Amino acid sequence: MALETVLIVEDEPDIASMLEEALSVAQFDVVIAPTRKAAIDALERQTFDIALIDLRLPDGSGLDLAREIRAASATPIVMMSGQADDIDRIVGLEMVADDYLEKPFSHRELIARFRAILRRYENDTSDSSSSAIPTTNATLTFHGFTLARAGRELCDSEGNQVELTTREFDVLWILAENQGKVLSRQEIYVSSGMGKGLADRQVDGLISRLRSKLYSGGDGPRKIRTVHGRGYILTDA
């Protein structure tokens, strides 16, 4: 069986070497690119199953590179940075990446995140109507919206499509499937297939964006309500 290929974009040789060694032991085929240009060259030569990109590169922004990859392919992307403020900045964007890691992180955590992401992508590819969320429902309705697994689409009461990122869809699905029930942040990111490592503030960011996309005039906080100390609830009325 062919090994899954990983592009690591990291300019610190020691860090890149350690990552390469850990991932190779875990049966990944690793290519190292120390710069944005080297990464682009590597991407022109071959395709990758997943990419791990440092936010700060010597010849440009890792986010810009991630946007280029995202525009050209469906390659999963994990961003990493040594600064907490950088992670907050990434989370505030429209889901350029599939996951985020703040340095230092354990190699075991990285490998677990990779495998969770790759499983999710494999499921989406093998069955376009399937979701990372185990469910028998084909569609869900709430507050005049219709959420459809086929095509992973959300439409409002007038049939207009509301653009959602992959993670936004998964989080909204688990909330809609549990209307009227309080879900903790951990229940949200584990049930929606994102693993156990997603930071609470990332879930908060996703909820905030869903509120702004779904509801205007201040209805968002009332429809997707914060239950302090417990989590979030999509109201059933």
Side-chain angles (χ1 to χ4, degrees), residues 99-101 109-118 197-198:
D99 211 340
Y100 319 90
L101 285 165
E109 178 183 9
L110 172 65
I111 292 165
R113 301 265 193 114
F114 271 15
R115 287 178 173 157
I117 292 168
L118 289 167
L198 198 68

Side-chain angles (χ1 to χ4, degrees), residues 63-84:
L63 278 178
D64 289 339
L65 174 61
R67 290 190 186 98
E68 291 179 74
I69 295 174
R70 179 64 70 241
S73 73
T75 302
I77 299 169
V78 177
M79 299 297 299
M80 57 180 171
S81 174
Q83 302 294 325

Side-chain angles (χ1 to χ4, degrees), residues 10-12 15 54 80-83 87 101-105:
E10 168 60 65
D11 64 314
E12 292 289 341
I15 295 176
D54 191 40
M80 57 180 171
S81 174
Q83 302 294 325
I87 300 298
L101 285 165
E102 182 179 343
K103 298 176 183 176
F105 50 81

Side-chain angles (χ1 to χ4, degrees), residues 182-203:
V182 178
L183 299 177
S184 69
R185 290 178 177 87
Q186 179 172 329
E187 286 176 318
I188 290 171
Y189 55 68
V190 172
S191 297
S192 59
M194 292 184 284
K196 298 182 179 180
L198 198 68
D200 284 351
R201 65 177 179 270
Q202 295 179 22
V203 175

Side-chain angles (χ1 to χ4, degrees), residues 36-195:
R36 176 176 169 274
K37 183 181 183 304
I40 292 172
D41 290 343
L43 288 160
E44 289 176 350
R45 291 193 301 270
Q46 70 178 97
T47 58
F48 293 89
D49 293 302
I50 195 165
L52 177 65
I53 304 173
D54 191 40
L55 181 64
R56 301 180 181 224
L57 300 172
D59 59 345
S61 165
L63 278 178
D64 289 339
L65 174 61
R67 290 190 186 98
E68 291 179 74
I69 295 174
R70 179 64 70 241
S73 73
T75 302
I77 299 169
V78 177
M79 299 297 299
M80 57 180 171
S81 174
Q83 302 294 325
D85 289 347
D86 285 343
I87 300 298
D88 288 335
R89 176 185 164 206
I90 297 169
V91 171
L93 297 175
E94 275 300 303
M95 305 309 295
V96 174
D98 295 271
D99 211 340
Y100 319 90
L101 285 165
E102 182 179 343
K103 298 176 183 176
F105 50 81
S106 73
H107 295 156
R108 181 177 296 179
E109 178 183 9
L110 172 65
I111 292 165
R113 301 265 193 114
F114 271 15
R115 287 178 173 157
I117 292 168
L118 289 167
R119 280 196 301 271
R120 187 165 74 246
Y121 268 74
E122 182 179 357
N123 289 338
D124 287 344
T125 302
S126 61
D127 182 358
S128 62
S129 68
S130 70
S131 160
I133 309 158
T135 179
T136 58
N137 296 315
T139 61
L140 296 171
T141 58
F142 61 95
H143 305 158
F145 291 95
T146 300
L147 196 61
R149 288 179 63 196
R152 300 172 67 82
E153 294 180 346
L154 174 69
C155 293
D156 64 18
S157 58
E158 298 180 353
N160 300 311
Q161 186 170 342
V162 180
E163 294 295 332
L164 296 179
T165 65
T166 296
R167 277 192 170 173
E168 288 167 354
F169 181 94
D170 287 343
V171 168
L172 183 57
W173 185 281
I174 199 66
L175 287 170
E177 197 172 45
N178 291 275
Q179 283 185 74
K181 177 182 177 182
V182 178
L183 299 177
S184 69
R185 290 178 177 87
Q186 179 172 329
E187 286 176 318
I188 290 171
Y189 55 68
V190 172
S191 297
S192 59
M194 292 184 284

